[in-house]
Amino acid sequence: MSGDRSQAYYTCEVVSKCFADDATRQGFMAAYTQSPDAAQAYLEKLGMPDDMAAKVVTLQGNDLNLFIGQNVCDYLW
């Protein structure tokens, strides 16, 4: 990851960008359902470092929920 920014920072940054508007949210959901490579590219486009994006796209269901939830809470608190 670049600089001194944490995994929690990047998670919050990308989540906030994904829900900034309907077009971005729909673009992310389309990429995520298309393929892991498409989802990773979209996450990178939103500012997530490539190594972190590669990890995130392997997560599904509760594992993905826990990853996002834990990182958002870590960043906010």
Side-chain angles (χ1 to χ4, degrees), residues 1 3 10 32 36 38-39 42 55 68:
M1 280 181 262
Y10 286 111
Y32 210 84
Y42 205 88
K55 175 185 174 183
I68 292 170

Side-chain angles (χ1 to χ4, degrees), residues 6 9 12 14 18 23 31-33 35 37-41 43-45 51 54-55 60 64-65 72 75:
S6 68
Y9 168 84
C12 286
V14 169
C18 278
Y32 210 84
T33 58
S35 72
D37 289 339
Q40 182 175 343
L43 291 171
E44 290 172 13
K45 175 183 158 186
D51 58 333
K55 175 185 174 183
Q60 294 182 1
L64 181 59
N65 292 339
V72 168
Y75 185 72

Side-chain angles (χ1 to χ4, degrees), residues 15-77:
V15 167
S16 67
K17 288 178 182 178
C18 278
F19 294 100
D21 57 60
D22 283 340
T24 305
R25 182 185 54 77
Q26 290 169 354
F28 172 71
M29 294 308 294
Y32 210 84
T33 58
Q34 182 182 357
S35 72
D37 289 339
Q40 182 175 343
Y42 205 88
L43 291 171
E44 290 172 13
K45 175 183 158 186
L46 294 176
M48 186 175 280
D50 59 350
D51 58 333
M52 186 177 168
K55 175 185 174 183
V56 170
V57 299
T58 66
L59 302 173
Q60 294 182 1
N62 196 48
D63 291 334
L64 181 59
N65 292 339
L66 291 173
F67 177 85
I68 292 170
Q70 182 64 53
N71 280 299
V72 168
C73 288
D74 286 351
Y75 185 72
L76 296 176
W77 286 278

